[in-house]
Amino acid sequence: MSDVLFDERDGRDGRRIGIATLHAPKTLNGLSLTMASLLDTQLRAWADDDAIAVVVLQGAGDKAFCAGGDLHGLYRSMVDYREAGGGEITRNAYASEFFSTEYRLDYRIHTYAKPILCWGHGIVMGGGIGLMAGASHRVVTERSKLAFPEITVGLYPDVGGSWLLSRVPDRGGMFLALTGAPLGAGDAIHAGLADHFIPENAHPEVMNALSNANWSSSASANHDKLTAVLRSIEQPVSPGPLQAHAALIREVCGNERLDDIVGAIDAIQDDDTWLQNARTALLAGAPGSARLGFELQRRASTLSLADTFRLEYIVSLHCAAHGDFAEGIRALLIDKDRQPRWNPATLAEATSSWAESFFNAPFIAEAHLLADLGSQPESYA
C-alpha cells in the first residue's frame, strides 16, 4: 500500500474534495522522498482539475500528522557520501533530490491557488510543519504538538522555517529555533503556524460540512467558503507558555549577538517546566545549529519565501556534507547513545565566520534546482 493515499469525495453540484493522507503511521508519517514526490504530482493534477474545489491534507493514525523528514534515508546518504571521499556538496544525490523535492512541494503548498485544509493533529515537527505551514487553512486540535527540534540533530529549522520563524511575534521564533520548544494549539495559532482550533473528534463533522458546502469555480470564493465552514465549528483555545512568557522571551532574544541570547536563556531562573526544558535542549544541542538558525533568520527577514527556500537548500546540502547533521542522527536514531560529538563543540567556536561557508553555492544561480521558484505569484506567502 502506498505511503500516501489519495481519494476524492463527492460534494454538491459536481464539485469534489481531494483528500491526501500520509500513510506511514509506524514512522509517525515521516516524509520520505517518495511521499514528497507523490504529493507534489497529485497536487499538480488537482490544481488542473476544475472539479476539485478544495484539498484536504491529513495523516493516518491518531499520533501524528507528520513527525518530520526521512532522517534514516538522509543518514545513509551522508555516510555513503563521506565514505566515497566527499567533494562537492551536490555529489550526495539523495540529499540533493530530497531537499529540492521537499522544498518545491512546500513552496507549492504555500502558493496553491485552491484552498488547502491541513489537519495538523498530534505531532507536527520539522518537515511536518513544512507541509502544514503553507496551507491556506491550518487546523490544530487538543493533541497538536508543533516544534522545530532540529538543534537536537545538528540541522536547523529548514522547510521555510527561517522565513516562518523570523515572523513570530515578540522574537519568539528565535527562541523556538534555538530551543526546539513545542507549541500547543493556542501558541501555534499565536505564532502564525495555525489558524483554527477544532477538537479532534470533530473531524467527521468537518468532512461532512465540506461535502455539503456550496463550492464554486472561483478559488477565491472557495477560500472564503472554507473559512466560513471552519469558523462554524472551531472553538476558543487557551494561550500556552509561548504567550505566557512573551515578555521574557522578547527580552532574552532581543539581543543582537547570538552569544548574548544564549547566555540570557541559560540564565533564566523561572522554574516553569516548558522554559527549563527549552533551556536544557539549547545547552545540549549543536552549537553549529544554533549559529545557522540565528544567521538564517537574520537573512530570511528580508528575503522572499522563494529566495528563502533557495538559500536553505544550499545550507542543507552543506549540513549533509560537512555539518553535524549525520552525527546528530547517529546519536539519536542509529546508535541511540544520545551522546553527540558536536563540531564545533562550543558556541565560541561556532562563529559567524565559521558559518559563512554554509552559504556558499557551488553552482551559478541559473543552475540552482529551485531557480524557477517564484516564477508564479506567491498567492499566500
Side-chain angles (χ1 to χ4, degrees):
M1 185 174 289
S2 174
D3 284 345
V4 187
L5 304 181
F6 300 108
D7 191 17
E8 295 182 8
R9 184 165 178 168
D10 290 335
R12 299 177 63 178
D13 302 322
R15 304 293 175 185
R16 298 198 302 275
I17 298 96
I19 305 171
T21 305
L22 306 181
H23 193 260
K26 290 184 179 180
T27 61
L28 299 179
N29 299 318
L31 185 71
S32 68
L33 175 57
T34 298
M35 293 167 73
S37 298
L38 289 170
L39 269 174
D40 197 55
T41 298
Q42 188 61 58
L43 284 178
R44 284 187 282 117
W46 279 337
D48 294 333
D49 187 341
D50 292 338
I52 296 294
V54 61
V55 172
V56 175
L57 181 58
Q58 59 186 11
D62 59 2
K63 294 182 179 179
F65 163 60
C66 175
D70 177 24
L71 296 184
H72 284 89
L74 285 166
Y75 179 78
R76 290 191 296 270
S77 76
M78 289 186 279
V79 170
D80 291 345
Y81 164 83
R82 295 177 186 187
E83 289 181 348
E88 287 287 357
I89 59 176
T90 54
R91 287 184 59 190
N92 184 332
Y94 180 83
S96 181
E97 185 178 6
F98 178 85
F99 287 122
S100 63
T101 301
E102 181 185 28
Y103 296 175
R104 183 175 295 279
L105 169 62
D106 293 339
Y107 186 80
R108 189 178 307 284
I109 293 172
H110 273 277
T111 58
Y112 207 66
K114 296 179 179 181
I116 297 179
L117 163 59
C118 182
W119 188 265
H121 73 289
I123 298 172
V124 188
M125 293 185 178
I129 295 182
L131 294 175
M132 180 178 175
S136 59
H137 296 72
R138 303 161 300 180
V139 170
V140 281
T141 74
E142 67 274 18
R143 293 205 296 161
S144 293
K145 180 181 179 182
L146 280 69
F148 277 111
E150 283 79 3
I151 194 167
T152 64
V153 291
L155 192 59
Y156 66 93
D158 65 328
V159 295
S162 308
W163 188 89
L164 293 163
L165 292 178
S166 69
R167 288 156 173 79
V168 176
D170 299 315
R171 302 282 290 174
M174 185 62 67
F175 186 85
L176 298 175
L178 295 176
T179 66
L183 302 178
D187 277 343
I189 293 173
H190 170 75
L193 299 176
D195 306 297
H196 305 275
F197 171 71
I198 296 178
E200 187 175 356
N201 62 11
H203 182 270
E205 181 183 356
V206 170
M207 297 304 295
N208 287 333
L210 296 184
S211 295
N212 292 321
N214 292 312
W215 304 108
S216 73
S217 60
S218 166
S220 177
N222 289 340
H223 275 271
D224 293 341
K225 175 60 67 174
L226 180 54
T227 298
V229 167
L230 296 177
R231 285 180 176 171
S232 71
I233 302 173
E234 70 179 359
Q235 296 185 8
V237 62
S238 300
L242 180 67
Q243 294 168 81
H245 300 295
L248 173 63
I249 291 171
R250 183 173 60 250
E251 178 182 355
V252 300
C253 292
N255 294 290
E256 293 299 317
R257 298 174 63 251
L258 175 61
D259 307 64
D260 294 334
I261 295 174
V262 172
I265 294 175
D266 185 22
I268 291 176
Q269 296 298 315
D270 196 302
D271 60 0
D272 177 86
T273 301
W274 185 81
L275 285 174
Q276 288 306 315
N277 287 342
R279 174 182 175 274
T280 299
L282 168 59
L283 298 180
S289 293
R291 172 61 65 183
L292 291 174
F294 175 80
E295 298 292 342
L296 275 158
Q297 279 198 44
R298 294 177 67 181
R299 287 165 168 80
S301 65
T302 59
L303 294 178
S304 69
L305 180 60
D307 283 338
T308 298
F309 275 118
R310 278 188 281 268
L311 183 60
E312 287 185 351
Y313 176 73
I314 294 167
V315 176
S316 294
L317 287 187
H318 277 290
C319 288
H322 56 83
D324 277 328
F325 195 20
E327 173 62 11
I329 298 174
R330 179 207 64 77
L332 182 65
L333 299 178
I334 307 303
D335 297 336
K336 300 181 181 180
D337 58 23
R338 296 185 178 271
Q339 297 293 322
R341 296 179 291 273
W342 302 127
N343 182 26
T346 66
L347 192 60
E349 299 171 82
T351 63
S352 295
S353 298
W354 168 86
E356 278 303 316
S357 65
F358 286 78
F359 296 93
N360 294 332
F363 38 68
I364 61 174
E366 291 77 7
H368 198 303
L369 289 182
L370 301 178
D372 60 327
L373 290 191
S375 59
Q376 299 296 323
E378 297 184 7
S379 304
Y380 297 99

